[in-house]
Amino acid sequence: MNSSADLAGHLLSTIPRTMWRIRNEVRIAAKTDLTLPQFRILAHLSIGPSTNVELSEHLGASAANTCRTLVTLVRRGLVAQARSKSDRRLVTVRLTQRGGARFNRIRARAQDQLAIELALIPNKDHETLAAALKILEKVFAS
């Protein structure tokens, strides 16, 4: 039986390789049209509007880097910003219709590619993987 420590070690070795593969598929799908941080902002905003501070925290980036990335996305019409009336430093960011469509196209292409790879594993393993992903989702939901 695997201990929690064994499972944690396995996660730490498996997840980075998995994320590398997903990032690679996203890059290919974006056709160098978007940087990974730009895509991550679009992905975060696809859930709902966010502040510039929340986006910086999500990216693990400085406020200045996030601001530069947002300027590019605004210029390209993929996101819109609204400055807070009570705190001029606070900016709420949301996807535009164009940004949402772009995110959905990239995500769908990346998902299609990953599905091709996952189709190579037996169906019984699909069920096991789906169950494991649901457990991880519960554990790391916050």
Side-chain angles (χ1 to χ4, degrees), residues 42-62:
L42 296 184
H44 190 75
L45 295 176
S46 73
I47 299 165
S50 190
T51 66
N52 55 335
V53 173
E54 292 165 342
L55 287 169
S56 291
E57 288 173 4
H58 175 71
L59 292 173
S62 69

Side-chain angles (χ1 to χ4, degrees), residues 29-30 33-34 39 42-43 45-46 76-79 94-110:
D33 184 41
L34 292 173
F39 178 80
L42 296 184
L45 295 176
S46 73
R76 294 175 64 195
L78 301 176
V79 302
R94 66 170 178 76
L95 275 181
T96 62
Q97 187 173 5
R98 181 177 177 184
R102 183 75 183 118
F103 168 75
N104 289 333
R105 279 193 306 273
I106 293 169
R107 187 177 192 282
R109 284 186 201 140

Side-chain angles (χ1 to χ4, degrees), residues 11-70:
L11 270 174
L12 288 171
S13 64
T14 304
I15 297 298
R17 288 191 310 260
T18 305
M19 289 307 302
W20 180 88
R21 191 55 179 254
I22 291 169
R23 280 192 301 271
N24 192 49
E25 294 302 336
V26 167
R27 279 189 200 110
I28 291 167
K31 297 181 181 173
T32 68
D33 184 41
L34 292 173
T35 65
L36 193 58
Q38 290 169 343
F39 178 80
R40 288 184 63 208
I41 287 174
L42 296 184
H44 190 75
L45 295 176
S46 73
I47 299 165
S50 190
T51 66
N52 55 335
V53 173
E54 292 165 342
L55 287 169
S56 291
E57 288 173 4
H58 175 71
L59 292 173
S62 69
N65 280 341
T66 302
C67 181
R68 280 191 294 273
T69 303
L70 287 172

Side-chain angles (χ1 to χ4, degrees), residues 107-118:
R107 187 177 192 282
R109 284 186 201 140
Q111 185 173 334
D112 289 347
Q113 278 307 119
L114 291 169
I116 290 168
E117 294 181 42
L118 292 172

Side-chain angles (χ1 to χ4, degrees), residues 1-14:
M1 178 167 239
N2 290 321
S3 70
S4 294
D6 291 337
L7 289 171
H10 196 68
L11 270 174
L12 288 171
S13 64
T14 304

Side-chain angles (χ1 to χ4, degrees), residues 60 81 89 102:
Q81 298 178 326
R89 297 169 297 175
R102 183 75 183 118

